[in-house]
């Protein structure tokens, strides 16, 4: 029987073969020169996409290719152990578990490694000596690249007397080793150490909303990411087509988690922060806390809807339009009738506008007909239908008429609408006030400057832009007309191809009754329209890439991290993106810090789901040592004496330290402490109030900082809200008492090993 090292060598050889096959197919699919038939190009593009995806999965799964082994059934006492500690041959089965499934290159396609998400792999995560799930023993395999570096066996069948020399008395040894390892600035997958409570969440049914609540360090985020990988495995066809959206609190967090899913062989997901959820806008500006809270209030939906209705104006008292045949007049009665008809369609503002315009044009045409064709003697109108049609055409093409229609019912983009609204936002519906309206007031020139960057838009503006897009609708008639014209061109071209092929011999079928053959032409097999459809160039972007550019895209599943931070308006946006309400929401109400954050799962979900959602809680803290958690828990306990923090699974024996320095010395003291704690093999974070970051960055120039700091650097400087979801070996919190309680709670719970606090001494006098 092969040793684990021999088996790992075999696996990597098989992986090399699969990679070579994929690369060879990819090279053959890539043309040396452009050209070829449309069908050939289509087939080539599909092959390139398939092989590129396969190569990505193979590269991603190479590290930790196999990490576990399961022995099922009874041991065969006649077989001896081998030198690598394998328990010999047995009457049951054994299975190796890895990041991706791999089969042998034989006729039976024998499984070499079982994907960790397969049902047969569940005992690796759930089996215990009390409930062995058919297992005799379980092995954890540690590897570095192509070398086996460690084995750890757990005996689950207490009647098994065999010993391999790799048994461990501590069943949590593998987990604790992973928890004590140095951070790298990137979140690692936990596929080798998934715990039973985490596994049940990862594999929970996909339909409906699942809320995963847990305090700092309970693994909410990594569980949600593994759930995404599991759902993509279990519902591959549908979710690969509809894509999975993962929403994280900020760009630094998204960069931190960016390697988890690729390491599990999954790349078909879209990662986005709240400021990136409106295509074409990358909102990186900042609001005051009050402005963000006002923009996120649910009353803003009503405010925008009222604003759009107010844009559908009536003339006061009338609108006079210059025309070559005399002035035309639109009074309030005429415009009101046209407006009522347009509103009665139920269409969004921009899509209802043509109905309004047609009624206005008809009314103005009737004015001209009555004026020009009036019989002086009181008889019937002298103009015939053709004359009236000519006058209507002149009215419909008049610039002055269109200017009047634009004034009464303007056509706007979402950006234009929100910019106008923020220029004059009041009065806002209750409970918002005039002071709230003043807090969100903006100069539209700042938001709409031509060619300007996206920075003026803030994350709190994004749900307003989405709401505006919903109210306005998208008029794609011009695009549809262009597409139809191109389609007709393709059909005409295809018809010409068929004309050339008419009568040519394309297929021959022998008739058993006759000596003659029946000849079929291309016309007998396909018409021009179907031929044109088959020749169309397909869109080979991934579902995630297409979803990123399409506001109307309906995702198959949405995962939201730090879900308690999102405002009611942002939840309206997300619910539009997922009509099936298939969601995984993770967060901790005790860590709510955003001014527009909801903080209550019932308040978030009841308006959309009623009671059709499930809450599960994670209660074990895998990140924060007990010494640090004891200190951090004092913060929420001051507000709620009954607060119970998650139970820390480990202790380092090193309590947090705290000292004070004069205010003027604080930047230098922080820099000195950070340099003393930093190490090339560890990650150290300095977390501070926003208003102190500039001075600290000047004192500590080697620290990475800014909107998207490089978390792989030895020292990183962050604001407290930037630090959400992140973890570091050591953390130094500067001026912690200047942070809001929830922000201070977040800052103190980022460390996996050591925590320090530096306070500025109060100024004398």
């Amino acid at each position: 029987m092969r040793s684990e090292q021999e088996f790992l060598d075999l696996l990597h050889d098989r992986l090399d073969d699969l990679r070579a096959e994929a690369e060879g197919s990819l090279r053959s699919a890539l043309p040396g020169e452009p050209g070829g038939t449309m069908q050939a190009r289509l087939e080539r593009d599909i092959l390139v996409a398939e092989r590129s995806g396969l190569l990505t999965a193979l590269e991603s799964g190479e590290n930790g290719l196999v990490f576990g082994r399961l022995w099922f059934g009874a041991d065969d006492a006649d077989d001896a152990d081998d030198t690598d500690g394998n328990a010999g041959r047995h009457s049951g089965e054994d299975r190796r578990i890895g990041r991706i499934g791999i089969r042998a290159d034989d006729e039976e396609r024998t499984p070499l490694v079982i994907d960790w998400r397969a049902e047969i792999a569940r005992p690796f995560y759930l089996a215990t000596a009390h409930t062995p799930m058919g297992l005799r023993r379980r092995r954890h395999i540690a590897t570095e690249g192509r070398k086996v570096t460690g084995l750890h066996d757990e005996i689950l069948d207490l009647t098994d007397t065999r010993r391999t020399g790799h048994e461990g008395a501590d069943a949590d040894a593998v987990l604790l080793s992973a928890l004590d390892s140095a951070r790298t600035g990137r979140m690692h997958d936990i596929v080798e150490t998934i715990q039973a409570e985490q596994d049940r969440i990862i594999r929970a049914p996909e339909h409906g909303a699942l809320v995963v609540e847990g305090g700092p360090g309970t693994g909410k985020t990594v569980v949600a990411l593994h759930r995404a990988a599991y759902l993509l495995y279990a519902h591959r066809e549908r979710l690969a087509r509809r894509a999975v959206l993962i929403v994280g609190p900020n760009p630094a967090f998204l960069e931190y988690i960016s390697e988890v899913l690729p390491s599990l062989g999954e790349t078909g997901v879209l990662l986005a922060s709240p400021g990136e959820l409106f295509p074409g806008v990358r909102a990186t500006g900042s609001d005051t806390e009050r402005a963000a809270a006002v923009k996120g209030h649910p009353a803003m939906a009503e405010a925008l809807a009222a604003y759009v209705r107010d844009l559908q104006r009536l003339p006061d008292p009338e609108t006079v339009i210059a025309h070559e045949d005399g002035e035309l007049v639109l009074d309030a009665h005429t415009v009101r009738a046209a407006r009522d008809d347009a509103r009665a369609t139920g269409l969004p503002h921009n899509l209802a506008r043509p109905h309004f315009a047609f009624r206005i044009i008809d009314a103005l045409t009737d004015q001209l007909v009555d004026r020009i064709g009036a019989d002086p003697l009181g008889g019937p109108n002298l103009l015939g239908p053709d004359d009236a049609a000519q006058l209507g055409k002149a009215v419909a093409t008049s610039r002055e008429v269109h200017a009047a229609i634009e004034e009464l019912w303007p056509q706007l983009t979402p950006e234009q609408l929100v910019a106008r609204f923020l220029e004059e936002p009041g009065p806002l519906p209750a409970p918002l006030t005039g002071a709230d309206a003043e807090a969100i007031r903006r100069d539209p020139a700042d938001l709409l400057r031509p060619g300007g960057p996206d920075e003026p838009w803030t994350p709190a503006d994004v749900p307003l832009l989405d709401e505006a897009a919903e109210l306005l609708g998208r008029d794609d008639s011009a695009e549809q007309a262009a597409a139809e014209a191109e389609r007709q061109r393709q059909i005409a071209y295809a018809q010409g191809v068929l004309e050339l092929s008419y009568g040519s011999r394309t297929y021959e079928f022998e008739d058993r009754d006759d000596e003659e053959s029946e000849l079929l032409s291309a016309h007998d097999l396909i018409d021009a329209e179907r031929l044109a459809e088959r020749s169309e160039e397909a869109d080979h972007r991934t579902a995630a890439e297409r979803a990123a550019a399409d506001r109307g895209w309906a995702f198959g599943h949405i995962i939201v991290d730090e879900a308690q931070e999102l405002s009611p308006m942002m939840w309206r946006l997300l619910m539009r993106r997922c009509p099936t309400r298939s969601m995984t929401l993770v967060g901790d109400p005790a860590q709510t810090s955003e001014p527009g954050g909801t903080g209550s799962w019932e308040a978030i979900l009841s308006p959309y789901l009623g009671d059709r959602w499930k809450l599960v809680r994670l209660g074990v803290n895998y990140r924060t040592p007990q010494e640090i958690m004891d200190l951090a828990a004092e913060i929420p306990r001051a507000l709620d004496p009954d607060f119970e923090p998650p139970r820390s699974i480990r202790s380092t024996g090193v309590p947090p330290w705290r000292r004070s320095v004069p205010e003027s010395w604080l930047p230098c003291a922080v820099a000195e402490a950070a340099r003393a704690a930093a190490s090339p093999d560890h990650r150290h974070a300095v977390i501070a109030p926003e208003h102190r970051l500039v001075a600290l960055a000047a004192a500590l120039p080697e620290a990475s900082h800014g909107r998207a700091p490089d978390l792989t650097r030895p020292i990183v400087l962050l604001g407290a809200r930037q630090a959400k979801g992140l973890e570091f070996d050591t953390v130094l919190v500067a001026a912690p008492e200047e942070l809001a309680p929830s922000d201070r709670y977040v800052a103190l719970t980022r460390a996996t090993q050591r925590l320090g606090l530096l306070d500025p001494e109060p100024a004398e006098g």
Side-chain angles (χ1 to χ4, degrees):
M1 196 171 188
R2 292 187 183 95
S3 70
E4 300 295 2
Q5 183 60 61
E6 290 172 337
F7 187 80
L8 185 61
D9 292 338
L10 170 69
L11 280 185
H12 279 283
D13 289 343
R14 178 64 181 138
L15 198 69
D16 289 340
D17 290 342
L18 290 170
R19 186 184 294 110
E21 291 174 12
E23 290 174 344
S25 298
L26 191 58
R27 282 193 299 270
S28 64
L30 293 172
E33 296 179 2
T37 65
M38 288 186 178
Q39 182 70 19
R41 294 201 300 272
L42 174 60
E43 293 175 354
R44 183 182 68 223
D45 290 346
I46 292 174
L47 184 61
V48 168
E50 289 178 348
R51 291 297 180 259
S52 297
L54 176 59
L55 279 171
T56 299
L58 294 175
E59 293 292 344
S60 300
E62 183 171 10
N63 186 31
L65 199 56
V66 60
F67 55 79
R69 188 174 181 180
L70 305 176
W71 278 274
F72 294 89
D75 193 12
D76 188 341
D78 295 331
D79 294 316
D81 295 349
D82 65 17
T83 56
D84 192 45
N86 295 321
R89 300 174 62 183
H90 50 83
S91 57
E93 295 181 299
D94 71 297
R95 291 284 187 270
R96 287 179 170 91
I97 312 299
R99 278 177 168 74
I100 58 176
I102 300 177
R103 292 179 178 270
D105 187 18
D106 55 23
E107 291 184 2
E108 292 78 17
R109 302 283 292 165
T110 306
L112 297 175
V113 177
I114 303 298
D115 191 299
W116 67 275
R117 296 166 287 190
E119 188 64 23
I120 196 173
R122 288 204 79 181
F124 185 76
Y125 303 111
L126 299 182
T128 64
H130 184 265
T131 309
M133 302 177 70
L135 282 189
R136 184 161 52 87
R137 63 174 58 219
R138 168 172 51 207
R139 167 170 289 179
H140 295 267
I141 305 170
T143 63
E144 289 183 9
R146 299 193 174 207
K147 183 179 180 181
V148 175
T149 58
L151 301 175
H152 183 276
D153 288 354
E154 298 175 60
I155 299 174
L156 301 176
D157 180 357
L158 300 182
T159 65
D160 182 359
T161 60
R162 298 297 183 88
R163 292 297 177 264
T164 66
H166 301 292
E167 289 82 7
D170 186 357
D172 291 327
V174 176
L175 172 63
L176 292 173
S177 175
L179 297 179
D180 286 332
S181 64
R183 307 299 100 174
T184 65
R186 293 287 183 270
M187 177 179 280
H188 292 297
D189 64 70
I190 59 167
V191 67
E192 301 174 25
T193 57
I194 293 171
Q195 301 301 292
E197 67 169 356
Q198 297 171 331
D199 183 80
R200 284 188 282 270
I201 294 170
I202 289 168
R203 298 173 190 263
E206 177 254 350
H207 297 293
L210 177 66
V211 178
V212 183
E213 180 181 307
T218 53
K220 304 180 298 296
T221 298
V222 74
V223 166
L225 294 174
H226 284 69
R227 176 164 168 76
Y230 172 76
L231 293 176
L232 284 164
Y233 172 85
H235 307 281
R236 174 72 61 191
E237 183 176 351
R238 182 174 60 81
L239 291 184
R241 184 174 66 252
R242 298 309 314 163
V244 173
L245 170 65
I246 297 177
V247 181
N250 54 59
F253 173 85
L254 295 178
E255 185 66 21
Y256 177 64
I257 69 170
S258 63
E259 295 179 4
V260 174
L261 284 169
S263 75
L264 300 173
E266 298 295 348
T267 57
V269 298
L270 175 62
L271 275 64
S273 67
E276 299 168 326
L277 290 176
F278 190 82
V281 168
R282 193 175 185 87
T284 58
S286 59
D287 278 307
T288 65
E289 292 208 350
R290 181 166 188 173
V294 173
K295 290 177 180 180
H297 196 282
M300 292 300 288
E302 180 185 346
L304 283 169
Y307 187 81
V308 169
R309 290 180 68 86
D310 288 344
L311 291 175
Q312 301 161 4
R313 296 179 51 249
L314 297 176
D316 182 21
E318 61 185 22
T319 295
V320 178
I321 304 170
H323 191 269
E324 60 185 7
D325 293 312
E327 291 181 340
L328 300 174
V329 178
L330 283 174
D331 56 33
H333 174 76
T334 300
V335 175
R336 181 179 290 107
R339 186 180 68 176
D340 291 346
D341 282 354
R343 287 177 173 177
T345 65
L347 294 171
H349 175 85
N350 283 347
L351 301 185
R353 185 178 186 271
H355 296 270
F356 175 80
F358 290 150
R359 284 296 305 268
I360 294 297
I361 289 170
D362 286 346
L364 294 176
T365 300
D366 289 344
Q367 279 189 35
L368 281 179
V369 169
D370 291 344
R371 179 193 305 164
I372 296 173
D375 185 348
L377 302 178
N381 196 288
L382 301 177
L383 298 181
D386 291 344
D387 298 320
Q390 283 296 110
L391 289 175
K393 183 177 180 180
V395 170
T397 56
S398 167
R399 291 184 178 179
E400 290 77 11
V401 169
H402 280 282
I405 292 172
E406 180 66 20
E407 180 69 22
L408 299 170
W409 193 297
Q411 180 160 324
L412 300 170
T413 66
E415 291 88 343
Q416 290 170 334
L417 174 60
V418 174
R420 286 193 184 189
F421 171 77
L422 294 178
E423 181 182 21
E424 294 291 340
L428 299 177
L432 300 178
T433 66
D436 291 326
E438 191 60 35
I440 63 173
R441 190 181 303 277
R442 293 288 300 275
D443 184 347
D446 292 339
L447 298 172
L448 299 175
R449 56 178 181 264
D454 293 328
E455 281 79 359
W457 294 110
T458 71
D461 290 327
V462 167
L464 302 186
L465 291 168
D466 194 75
E467 192 74 23
E470 197 73 10
L471 292 167
L472 294 174
R474 181 169 175 266
D475 184 1
D476 60 354
S477 56
E479 295 175 18
Q480 291 184 0
E484 179 60 23
E486 176 60 20
R487 177 173 170 273
Q488 293 300 327
R489 188 191 70 78
Q490 292 280 4
I491 292 174
Y493 175 79
Q495 185 65 45
V497 172
L498 291 176
E499 292 294 338
L500 290 174
S501 68
Y502 182 73
S504 65
R505 180 171 176 163
T506 55
Y507 292 93
E508 183 174 300
F509 298 92
E510 295 297 332
D511 189 325
R512 294 183 179 180
D513 297 325
D514 300 321
E515 294 296 329
E516 297 180 1
S517 297
E518 180 182 3
L519 301 181
L520 300 181
S521 72
H523 282 283
D524 298 308
L525 301 174
I526 191 169
D527 59 25
E529 186 170 354
R530 291 182 63 193
L531 179 61
E533 289 175 355
R534 291 186 177 185
S535 300
E536 288 180 357
E537 293 278 0
D539 184 351
H540 298 303
R541 292 177 300 170
T542 66
E545 289 169 337
R546 285 180 281 130
D550 184 357
R551 193 196 75 86
W553 188 273
F555 288 93
H557 192 81
I558 291 180
I559 292 174
V560 183
D561 200 288
E562 303 292 351
Q564 78 282 350
E565 302 290 3
L566 300 190
S567 69
M569 289 298 293
M570 183 58 75
W571 282 112
R572 286 175 65 88
L573 179 155
L574 289 176
M575 293 298 172
R576 292 190 189 106
R577 300 291 198 276
C578 192
T580 63
R581 306 295 192 258
S582 177
M583 295 180 167
T584 302
L585 314 177
V586 300
D588 178 13
Q591 297 184 64
T592 304
S593 58
E594 291 297 331
T598 309
S600 162
W601 303 124
E602 186 174 1
I604 291 170
L605 298 174
S606 293
Y608 305 99
L609 294 168
D611 60 357
R612 301 185 306 278
W613 55 279
K614 181 180 179 181
L615 172 64
V616 294
R617 290 184 172 89
L618 293 170
V620 177
N621 187 333
Y622 299 99
R623 176 205 301 146
T624 315
Q626 186 64 52
E627 295 85 356
I628 296 177
M629 202 63 220
D630 288 343
L631 174 64
E634 295 175 4
I635 300 168
R637 197 170 283 140
L639 303 174
D640 178 8
D642 296 327
F643 173 80
E644 285 297 329
R647 176 178 59 85
S648 293
I649 200 173
R650 63 199 177 94
S651 173
T652 62
V654 181
W657 60 264
R658 186 167 195 168
R659 68 172 185 265
S660 299
V661 297
E663 169 69 40
S664 60
W665 293 4
L666 184 66
C668 291
V670 167
E672 181 180 342
R675 291 177 183 131
S679 164
D681 298 326
H682 294 79
R683 298 296 171 267
H684 179 81
V686 175
I687 302 176
E690 293 287 337
H691 68 275
R692 290 189 177 271
L693 293 179
V694 173
L696 293 178
L700 196 61
E702 65 267 41
S704 180
H705 64 281
R707 177 174 173 268
D710 181 357
L711 300 177
T712 65
R713 295 270 292 276
I715 303 177
V716 181
L717 175 61
L718 301 164
R721 294 180 188 177
Q722 266 188 308
K724 276 185 175 291
L726 307 182
E727 62 182 21
F728 304 88
D729 297 289
T730 59
V731 170
L732 173 63
V733 183
E737 298 304 319
E738 296 176 8
L739 295 169
S742 59
D743 289 339
R744 191 160 68 253
Y745 183 53
V746 169
L748 267 57
T749 54
R750 299 304 98 193
T752 66
Q753 300 293 336
R754 290 174 172 79
L755 171 69
L757 296 87
L758 266 176
D759 296 290
E761 294 176 352
E764 295 183 1

